[in-house]
Amino acid sequence: MTSEFGDFANIDIEKLLAGADQQFAKMEELQKVMADMVGTAADEREFVKVDYASEGIRELTIHPKAMRLSSGELSDIIKQVVADAAEDLQRQANEAMAEVFGEEDNPMKLINDPDAAMQQIKSAEAAYNRTFDDVMGELDRIRRRLDL
């Protein structure tokens, strides 16, 4: 038996809602995990150690021996170690997101690949346009049947 609503009449709402609930649960778990993530780094002599979290530098430890360095050398080491710790945090976030979304659907991949992000946006736009046209066509057919 075919329905005037096409495939929409065969949608399993319970399954759809269960899938949405699973995605929301995954997102909540991801938020908890990411809130506790801390990127860490140190220079090779361990003069400078940094813990870097979502709010920025959480901990900066400078060994007393580092005071023998020139201010320029120390500054360069601090900047590099902060960058390394931020990169470590980013790596952890990428891994967590890949675990939740899978490698292919990991949204973090799009950050590093603007062309892929634009392609997904264009694809989503095309799907939206097709859906909108289908819905408007169906509404027009209903309007004509009801002689409105």
Side-chain angles (χ1 to χ4, degrees), residues 20-30:
D21 286 344
Q22 285 178 330
Q23 286 299 321
F24 284 125
K26 286 180 179 181
M27 288 303 295
E28 285 180 8
E29 181 61 29
L30 179 64

Side-chain angles (χ1 to χ4, degrees), residues 122-135:
K122 288 178 181 177
S123 177
E125 178 184 30
Y128 169 80
N129 288 337
R130 282 191 307 273
T131 302
F132 181 78
D133 290 343
D134 290 348
V135 168

Side-chain angles (χ1 to χ4, degrees), residues 4-133:
E4 64 184 272
F5 297 110
D7 288 339
F8 289 111
N10 298 322
I11 292 177
D12 184 347
I13 298 297
E14 293 298 321
K15 184 177 179 180
L16 182 67
L17 292 174
D21 286 344
Q22 285 178 330
Q23 286 299 321
F24 284 125
K26 286 180 179 181
M27 288 303 295
E28 285 180 8
E29 181 61 29
L30 179 64
Q31 284 179 317
K32 289 177 188 173
V33 168
M34 290 182 78
D36 295 334
M37 282 185 188
V38 177
T40 58
D43 68 296
E44 64 274 353
R45 295 178 287 184
E46 295 196 1
F47 284 167
V48 177
K49 295 180 183 178
V50 172
D51 289 345
Y52 195 91
S54 60
E55 70 272 9
I57 297 173
R58 188 176 279 180
E59 186 74 36
L60 170 64
T61 305
I62 300 175
H63 193 281
K65 289 182 181 179
M67 296 305 158
R68 296 181 189 148
L69 300 171
S70 72
S71 62
E73 288 175 308
L74 183 55
S75 174
D76 289 344
I77 290 172
I78 291 171
K79 287 188 283 187
Q80 184 59 55
V81 173
V82 167
D84 291 347
E87 187 177 304
D88 182 47
L89 178 64
Q90 184 67 44
R91 179 193 53 75
Q92 291 177 45
N94 284 341
E95 289 173 0
M97 300 231 2
E99 197 172 301
V100 170
F101 295 106
E103 276 304 319
E104 281 304 308
D105 296 327
N106 184 350
M108 296 302 283
K109 283 177 33 178
L110 299 177
I111 290 173
N112 298 323
D113 189 354
D115 291 334
M118 187 54 72
Q119 184 61 37
Q120 282 211 345
I121 290 168
K122 288 178 181 177
S123 177
E125 178 184 30
Y128 169 80
N129 288 337
R130 282 191 307 273
T131 302
F132 181 78
D133 290 343

